[in-house]
Structures are given as C-alpha cells and as structure tokens.
Amino acid sequence: MTVLDYALAFLIYPGALVVVALGLAIETGASLAMPQGTQAWRRFALGLRRLAAEREIPPAISGTALLVLLAVIQISVPFNPVPTSDRNILVAGTALAGASLLAWPWGVGPRGDNARQLLVTQGGWLASLLALIIVVGSLRPQVIGEADLGSILPIKVAAGLTFLLALPGMLGLLQGPVGREGAARGSRLLLWLPLCGLFASLFIPPQSSDAAGLGLFLLATVAAACAVLLIGAVVSRGTPAVRGGYLLLTGVLAVLALVLAGLGSFFPAV
C-alpha cells in the first residue's frame, strides 16, 4: 500500500471528507430528535461561524479529528483503500474511546452524574468489543463481521445491544444543550461515521466493493445512527429513574456479553 493510498484513506474516503459530510447530516437529524435540538443547532452554527472567522481550531476538535481519522480507516466500508489485514479493532476502539473523552460535554450536569454516565457507557461499549474479540478470536473487524453466527448469536446480540445503548451516553446526547456548543458538538459530529460504521462492520456481514455493497453499508450505518438518536431522545426526555434504568441495562448487558463470551471461548458448544 502506497503513501498516496493512505492519504486518500485519511483525507477523502473513508476519511475526513466523508466523516464531516455524514456527521453534519446526522447532527441535523439530532437537532430534530433531541430536546431543544433546534436551539442547540443554531448555537452550533454560530459557533462554526466564529471558528471560521477566528481561523483557530480548538484543541478538543483537533485532537478528536486525529483520533477519528486513525479509527475510521479501520472500518469495513466497501472500497476502503486500507487492506483488511491492516485493520484492527483494538486500534479503532482505543482511538474512539479517546476521541469520545475529548468530545464529551464535561461542563454539563452534576459531576457525579457525568462521571457515572461516562464510566458505564464507555465501559459497556469497550466490553462489547472485548466480548467479540474473545469469542471470535480475531482483531480484524471484517473477520468478526463475517464470523459464522451459530452458537455465538446470543453473544453478538448482547454485544450489539450494549454497543448501541452505550453510544448516546458516550456522545453526550443525554446532556442537553452545552455551553461551548461549537467545540463540543463540532467534535461530536466527527464521531458518527466511525462509531456507527464500526457497528455495521462488526454486526453485519462484510459487503462487496460495488455500488450495492456501499449502499447496504451506508444504510446499516445510518440505521445504527437513527437507533442511537431514538434511544437518546427517549432517555433524555425521561425521568431520573429512566436514566438510571438506562445505565443499569447498559451495564448488565455488558457483563452478560462478557460472561457469554468467556463461556463460549471455553465451551465452544455453549
């Protein structure tokens, strides 16, 4: 693979250009789905104008962008210039965990609630990746995606539900409008493609590199994003008991996925 191929992957496809385009489209949907989303979107647009006028990129956005570009080339999107042998779920998971920390709206809500929400959701998300690695025995997203379901179907279901449930918390969708809207939401829009594209890579069979395959992959990615927005809208409009139940369910499913993966690695027939 040449330097030009890597440059294409990082900057154009499935890199920066596609990440920003899809992120803007999903954030527009989020402005309709989330409470006070329209006002938040207006503040975000104003924040982007200020950033363009000042010609200065906040460290949170630049740091998130670098980690996102490292993660997005790991997904099994059709026509990805990066060979499947060079893609690694640990690289994607580590980069996205760091990116979500940088993009997370730390300044909203009680500190205890913030810390608990981030601990449960990001921990559950990482547990879902670990469960897949354990049961399939591979670090390549494409191998995990094409693994014969058979006895691992319960593990994939538990891991997939945990993955989706964790994303609204990781993305800060439950926090409401944030003070530094330009920086926080500008960072978040970069995460939609790598996170939802990674879900499509791990939980649906790899698609062929043709127009139909690309269409199916994008459909699965957008469907995952819609599911995340729906979960976020329901939980953010709910009572404190609903939020507590959401975190409890995410944690329980994460533990279940790990337990099932452990059993599956020791007893393949389970």
Side-chain angles (χ1 to χ4, degrees), residues 19-206:
V19 164
V20 171
L22 187 63
L24 282 171
I26 296 174
E27 281 295 321
T28 302
S31 69
L32 301 176
M34 303 306 296
Q36 299 180 328
T38 303
Q39 295 90 327
W41 179 257
R42 289 173 182 168
R43 287 195 298 273
F44 172 54
L46 290 174
L48 289 181
R49 291 179 186 175
R50 285 196 297 269
L51 290 177
E54 295 172 1
R55 298 181 181 179
E56 180 180 352
I57 300 177
I61 294 181
S62 57
T64 301
L66 290 174
L67 291 171
V68 161
L69 293 180
L70 179 62
V72 75
I73 64 172
Q74 311 299 325
I75 64 177
S76 299
V77 58
F79 303 109
N80 189 346
V82 177
T84 57
S85 59
D86 291 348
R87 302 175 206 165
N88 189 305
I89 190 176
L90 280 183
V91 174
T94 302
L96 290 174
S100 70
L101 285 173
L102 290 174
W104 214 70
W106 291 96
V108 180
R111 287 174 179 255
D113 289 346
N114 278 351
R116 181 167 57 253
Q117 179 181 313
L118 185 60
L119 175 65
V120 173
T121 55
Q122 190 167 89
W125 181 77
L126 290 171
S128 71
L129 299 185
L130 181 59
L132 294 174
I133 292 172
I134 291 172
V135 74
V136 178
S138 175
L139 296 176
R140 297 180 185 176
Q142 182 150 345
V143 174
I144 296 174
E146 66 189 3
D148 183 22
L149 290 178
S151 61
I152 73 168
L153 179 59
I155 303 168
K156 268 211 162 183
V157 170
L161 289 174
T162 304
F163 191 112
L164 289 177
L165 280 172
L167 290 191
M170 285 179 62
L171 290 165
L173 290 174
L174 312 182
Q175 300 299 94
V178 299
R180 298 174 61 191
E181 192 71 28
R185 200 165 181 182
S187 297
R188 189 175 76 194
L189 74 84
L190 300 176
L191 288 167
W192 285 107
L193 175 58
L195 283 172
C196 296
L198 184 60
F199 176 85
S201 300
L202 299 176
F203 296 100
I204 66 170

Side-chain angles (χ1 to χ4, degrees), residues 185-235:
R185 200 165 181 182
S187 297
R188 189 175 76 194
L189 74 84
L190 300 176
L191 288 167
W192 285 107
L193 175 58
L195 283 172
C196 296
L198 184 60
F199 176 85
S201 300
L202 299 176
F203 296 100
I204 66 170
Q207 302 300 315
S208 58
S209 290
D210 53 28
L214 179 60
L216 287 173
F217 181 89
L218 291 177
L219 180 62
T221 301
V222 172
C226 290
V228 171
L229 287 175
L230 177 61
I231 295 168
V234 170
V235 176

